[in-house]
Amino acid sequence: MPHTHLVGLIDRLEMASLTVRVRSRGDLAALEEQVHSQSDQPLAQRRYLSHEEFEQQYGADPADIELVEQFAQEHGLTAVRRSLGERSITLNGRLGDLVDAFHADVQMVRHSSGISRARQGEISVPEHLQGIVTGVFGFDTRPKFRGKHQHTLQAEATPGGQYGVAATDYAKRYNFPTEFEGVALDGTGQTIALVELGGGFQRSDLATYFQEINVPLPNIVAVSVNGVQNSPTTPNPYDIEVMLDIEVVGAVAPGAMIAVYFAPNGEQGLLDAISTVVHDTKRKPSVLSISWGEPEDNLDQHNLSAFHEVFMTAATMGITVCVASSDHGTATLAASDWDDKIHVHHPAGDDLVLACGGTQIEDGVDVVWNDGTPFSSKGGGWASGGGISKRFPVPAYQTDAALPVSLVPGKPGRGVPDIAMSAVAPLMAALVALLNQAK
């Protein structure tokens, strides 16, 4: 994270948690080839794996999990959660013991959002766990960034007011399907997942909103990840964003269950939240909307690979992942956080997600979203993110897209976004739910 300054040592007595990911019992390289191959097939011919099938074929070997748990116990750590399907084990303990166990270099740093832990360098594991442990997450607690909804969206609970229009009007504008073979399409039978790393929602406010736009109140459930709950506060700008996410998907697909996954804001929280969504056997989401992330250059290869493997799992199970491409153009960050370099936002840059850019409507035509305000430390500079990834190559589905090369380092790469519309990721997720209902 740019503009980060060292402020001191960690509190070794602080209680903390880590997520340790382990290798798959299956061949992930072959699975990825299968995912890309299947994407070229008609929907009726695609064969997705169930949660149970995935765990049996590509989950963790129980013996690997046992080895990590034994290692944890030797260092005074406690395994509080283990999942063969997610290939992960959560360890709790004193921060000093966690740092000593993995020989991590962790310091306290100050940044524009406050003070957090920051990890530098590599994490090491003992020889008998090398090749088994694929990543350790949670030492670094610097926050991810949340994309804001474009200002053309109406303000919370004020349909048709001065702030814009309801998501139902956007659905009409983009000709979202309303029926299939005589059946009304409202998302019935689908679950739309939203990942939130801050804020919360008030059911009473949502009930008022949906009543005013004459849409039935959807079934909305809050899911806790790593102990974080739905915790709305006043004032809290993240509350507005959470509410708008729910309002957008609920207005377009009121028959769907809306599952909101609340997690800590950081590398561990985002990864664990996405993994929880993908492996949720109770609610079984068919589509996920993510509006959080950071420049792809901030992530090391272990982080990129861990997220990519979770997105591959989602594709294997037929779960669509819609990700906002950020809100500050090629900077991807607000001016107060920017490092004077161009970036593509992650996870939008991953080639296994649907990257969603933003538009605004001018004279009845959708154009790239840019509010025209100055990009300065005082705020402003809101514009749809995008560009050419430096971390992911051009995927097969973009080979005929006539993509430019990246300005830096002047090489080809995956182009972002894949699609652009108003209300971006949540609106696209609602459309996917309608299409899944019609399958």
Side-chain angles (χ1 to χ4, degrees), residues 64-115:
D64 288 349
I65 296 289
E66 289 290 345
L67 285 174
V68 174
E69 188 164 358
Q70 291 172 12
F71 168 75
Q73 291 173 352
E74 293 169 1
H75 287 81
L77 308 175
T78 303
V80 296
R81 181 179 181 272
R82 50 190 287 170
S83 170
L84 296 180
E86 296 183 59
R87 297 172 25 228
S88 69
I89 179 169
T90 303
L91 306 180
N92 281 9
R94 289 187 295 268
L95 182 56
D97 292 334
L98 291 164
V99 167
D100 292 345
F102 294 98
H103 303 284
D105 181 5
V106 184
Q107 305 287 339
M108 302 303 297
V109 298
R110 184 186 300 276
H111 46 79
S112 62
S113 301
I115 296 177

Side-chain angles (χ1 to χ4, degrees), residues 17-39:
S17 74
L18 298 176
T19 297
V20 180
R21 291 180 56 83
V22 302
R23 64 187 176 185
S24 169
R25 69 169 76 200
D27 185 341
L28 292 183
L31 178 63
E32 183 161 11
E33 290 183 6
Q34 179 181 331
V35 165
H36 287 297
S37 175
Q38 181 163 256
S39 67

